[in-house]
């Protein structure tokens, strides 16, 4: 914290930055910017805002994002569970523009040229950068489950793993399901976006069905050997609240679906037929990162220098959030992506202005999950950069999990969401 304050004070005192000028505003697409940010999700929006803040508004920032508003994945399971509306998880980009002077271009980046240091937009324009920040989230690997791509295109088998129209469509499927029907959710092998996310979804769907169609069943079909996050707390909630209604089956790796019969096939176990089938395929870095050759870990995840989040594959491109090959015990979460955004922003501002890059950045994470419409649980951790090992490690004794689920934790979960939206976008 001290270092960040000193950095800002240093920037305010230095005349060079003010001379750079370039206070960006909305309007026509500019042809160049000091910092171009691709993706206005948790990582990208935070980086865009904090480059402006840490440079005392001196470095011009262009954010490229196709969506007109930010729609949050955190809290979106409550929309699937029928207790929140899309409006509750939608935040405008206005403050980034009006309060922080970020230029926002609503378009998609189709090509990154790391040699020429340009990005080309689907709309045809090209923007030159000194530093590029890439936070494109995840790509769902539909090919990992035979038949899934078509089933998805037909609207028969949904994922709703990027909050948006599918979130509502999945709720509609549950609403239309008969009492006595089965909702089945398949989970891919880790790492995937949001370790506790699928277990939260199964819980809030069970709460909805218990309330509205109590003869129904929830089946969790997990490719992993056990619940990957907050296992004890989730299992206790399932036994206490949904006994007989919710069943957890580990080591169920989905390999194929039949969209006509809503059947899912597994590598080892017998196939399962459902009334609403929610299949999450394997995941990798956002498509643009893969296409640009930045996913240099097994063609799936992007390796970065953890002190700055600069790609190990291309100079002056910083990759954040779900797309990176994570450090040990670093979850693919919105909270983490937000923290990546701040560390990268500080490093970028330091590098562009001749200041020392923070030698020991820190990150924190809290993942709340709802286990019913109102009760929450959490897991938290603090991570520090260990220069000798060039990675982040959890700080001994930091964090932990909730002692027990409670409505108070549900209130905290909602407050966490409002706070992180304000921090990333406000
Ligand atoms: C159901 C669910 C529940 C979750 N709950 C939590 C939670 O409680 N707490 C938590 O911390 N995390 C949670 N997460 C995880 C969290 O949503 C992600 O970890 C987080 O969104 C990652 O941030 P990101 O910046 O990497 O990607 P995103 O937030 O997905 O942002 C990526 C952005 O990039 C844009 N983009 C992609 N490609 C391009 C391109 N070519 N050009 C321009 N823009 C592009 C996309 O439109 C998108 O806006 C949850 C996720 C899910 C699915």
């Amino acid at each position: 914290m001290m270092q960040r304050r000193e950095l800002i004070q240093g920037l305010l005192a230095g005349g060079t930055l003010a001379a750079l000028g370039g206070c960006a505003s909305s309007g026509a697409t500019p042809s160049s910017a000091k910092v171009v940010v691709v993706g206005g999700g948790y990582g990208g929006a935070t980086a865009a805002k904090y480059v402006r803040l840490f440079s005392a508004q001196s470095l011009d920032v262009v954010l490229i994002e196709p969506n007109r508003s930010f729609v949050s994945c955190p809290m979106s399971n409550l929309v699937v569970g029928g207790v929140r509306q899309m409006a509750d998880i939608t935040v405008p980009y206005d403050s980034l523009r009006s309060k922080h002077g970020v230029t926002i271009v609503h378009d998609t980046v189709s090509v990154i040229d790391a040699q020429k240091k340009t990005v080309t937009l689907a709309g045809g324009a090209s923007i030159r950068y000194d530093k590029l920040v890439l936070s494109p989230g995840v790509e769902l690997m539909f090919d990992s489950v035979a038949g899934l791509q078509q089933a998805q295109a037909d609207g028969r088998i949904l994922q709703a793993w990027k909050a948006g129209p599918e979130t509502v469509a999945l709720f509609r499927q549950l609403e239309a399901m008969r009492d006595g029907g089965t909702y089945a959710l398949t989970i891919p092998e880790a790492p995937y976006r949001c370790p506790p996310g699928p277990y939260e979804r199964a819980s809030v769907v069970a709460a909805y069905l218990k309330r509205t169609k109590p003869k129904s069943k929830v089946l969790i079909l997990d490719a992993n050997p056990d619940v990957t996050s907050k296992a004890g707390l989730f299992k206790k909630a399932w036994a206490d609240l949904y006994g007989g209604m919710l069943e957890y089956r580990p080591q169920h790796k989905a390999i194929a679906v039949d969209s006509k019969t809503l059947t899912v096939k597994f590598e080892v176990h017998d196939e399962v037929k459902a009334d609403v089938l929610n299949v999450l395929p394997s995941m990798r870095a956002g498509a643009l990162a893969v296409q640009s050759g930045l996913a240099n870990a097994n063609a799936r995840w992007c390796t970065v220098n953890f002190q700055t989040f600069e790609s190990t594959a291309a100079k002056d491109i910083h990759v954040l959030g779900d797309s990176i090959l994570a450090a040990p015990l670093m979850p693919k979460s919105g909270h983490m992506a937000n923290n990546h955004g701040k560390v990268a922003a500080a490093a970028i501002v330091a590098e562009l202005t001749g200041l020392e890059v923070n030698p020991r950045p820190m990150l924190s994470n809290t993942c709340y999950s709802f286990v019913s419409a109102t009760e929450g649980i959490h897991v938290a951790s603090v991570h520090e950069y260990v220069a000798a090992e060039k990675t982040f490690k959890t700080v001994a004794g930091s964090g932990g999990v909730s002692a027990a689920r409670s409505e108070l934790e549900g209130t905290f979960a909602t407050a966490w969401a409002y706070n992180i939206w304000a921090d990333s976008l406000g």
Side-chain angles (χ1 to χ4, degrees):
M1 204 58 203
M2 193 60 193
Q3 273 157 339
R4 190 174 298 153
R5 196 162 59 234
E6 281 163 2
L7 175 69
I8 293 169
Q9 279 166 356
L11 289 167
L12 287 169
T16 42
L17 272 178
L20 288 171
C23 181
S25 61
S26 61
T29 303
S31 59
S32 75
K34 280 276 165 210
V35 180
V36 170
V37 180
V38 182
Y42 278 92
T46 306
K49 170 177 162 177
Y50 276 85
V51 167
R52 293 288 294 163
L53 283 177
F54 290 164
S55 72
Q57 272 72 40
S58 300
L59 297 176
D60 52 331
V61 176
V62 173
L63 171 65
I64 304 155
E65 164 60 51
N67 297 324
R68 293 272 154 185
S69 314
F70 169 96
V71 183
S72 177
C73 284
M75 304 294 279
S76 70
N77 281 331
L78 293 181
V79 178
V80 175
V83 287
R84 288 281 202 290
Q85 307 294 317
M86 287 304 280
D88 300 327
I89 60 166
T90 302
V91 185
Y93 284 114
D94 298 353
S95 291
L96 285 184
R97 192 181 282 128
S98 60
K99 210 163 130 190
H100 301 290
V102 174
T103 298
I104 302 178
V105 177
H106 288 297
D107 206 330
T108 302
V109 172
S110 46
V111 177
I112 298 170
D113 187 328
Q115 303 302 321
K116 288 193 195 138
K117 299 180 92 169
T118 58
V119 294
T120 306
L121 310 187
S126 170
I127 308 177
R128 204 187 168 283
Y129 62 81
D130 289 330
K131 286 280 192 183
L132 184 70
V133 176
L134 185 60
S135 194
V138 286
E139 180 187 4
L140 304 180
M141 298 167 72
F142 285 102
D143 290 353
S144 65
V145 181
L148 187 58
Q149 182 83 73
Q150 193 55 47
Q152 201 273 343
D154 295 342
R156 292 276 296 161
I157 301 175
L158 303 176
Q159 288 67 50
W161 216 242
K162 296 181 183 184
E166 266 196 39
T167 311
V168 179
L170 182 57
F171 173 62
R172 296 273 173 252
Q173 287 188 347
L174 290 163
E175 222 181 12
M177 191 176 93
R178 69 191 164 91
D179 189 4
T182 298
Y183 164 74
L185 170 67
T186 78
I187 305 172
E189 279 165 331
Y192 58 85
R193 160 174 283 185
C194 194
Y199 311 110
E200 175 187 63
R201 176 168 295 175
S203 306
V204 295
V205 167
Y208 167 72
L209 295 175
K210 187 176 166 182
R211 209 167 60 241
T212 56
K213 308 164 207 246
K215 291 188 218 131
S216 307
K217 196 164 179 190
V218 172
L219 259 183
I220 307 173
L221 304 158
D222 194 343
N224 298 288
D226 198 358
V227 173
T228 61
S229 176
K230 297 176 270 196
L233 289 161
F234 273 117
K235 286 179 181 172
K236 176 151 174 44
W238 296 340
D240 292 352
L241 303 173
Y242 315 115
M245 183 179 192
L246 184 151
E247 189 188 335
Y248 176 75
R249 296 186 193 165
Q251 279 169 332
H252 275 65
K253 184 176 173 187
I255 53 164
V257 290
D258 180 337
S259 96
K260 270 202 205 89
T261 57
L262 291 182
T263 303
V264 53
K265 294 187 175 133
F266 300 95
E267 201 171 58
V268 177
H269 296 280
D270 289 345
E271 62 186 36
V272 167
K273 198 172 157 352
D275 296 83
V276 174
L277 192 50
N278 187 184
V279 174
L280 303 179
S282 298
M283 298 174 202
R284 66 179 172 197
L288 180 65
V290 177
Q291 286 155 22
S292 310
L294 298 167
N296 52 357
N298 222 3
R300 275 187 79 176
W301 307 109
C302 304
T303 310
V304 295
N305 166 350
F306 280 113
Q307 194 189 344
T308 58
F309 286 85
E310 186 175 38
S311 162
T312 58
K315 199 170 150 25
D316 294 323
I317 299 180
H318 297 248
V319 189
L320 315 176
D322 288 354
S323 279
I324 69 164
L325 180 70
L329 301 176
M330 179 188 279
K332 292 191 182 299
S333 73
H335 197 133
M336 259 299 160
N338 162 285
N339 274 226
H340 295 172
K342 291 176 192 172
V343 171
I348 286 167
V349 171
E351 285 177 353
L352 288 178
T353 58
L355 294 170
E356 188 204 355
V357 174
N358 182 357
R360 198 165 151 252
M362 309 273 296
L363 304 166
S364 66
N365 185 71
T366 309
C367 276
Y368 282 97
S369 300
F370 282 88
V371 291
S372 69
T374 53
E375 289 176 296
I377 55 177
H378 81 267
V379 56
S381 51
V382 179
H383 307 244
E384 71 179 329
Y385 179 68
V386 179
E389 296 177 56
K390 295 194 165 140
T391 192
F392 277 97
K393 292 188 126 179
T394 46
V395 174
S398 69
V401 297
S402 321
R405 69 175 187 276
S406 69
E407 294 209 347
L408 183 60
E409 289 238 20
T411 308
F412 290 160
T414 307
W416 170 89
Y418 284 117
N419 278 315
I420 201 142
W421 297 340
D423 187 44
S424 304
L425 298 141

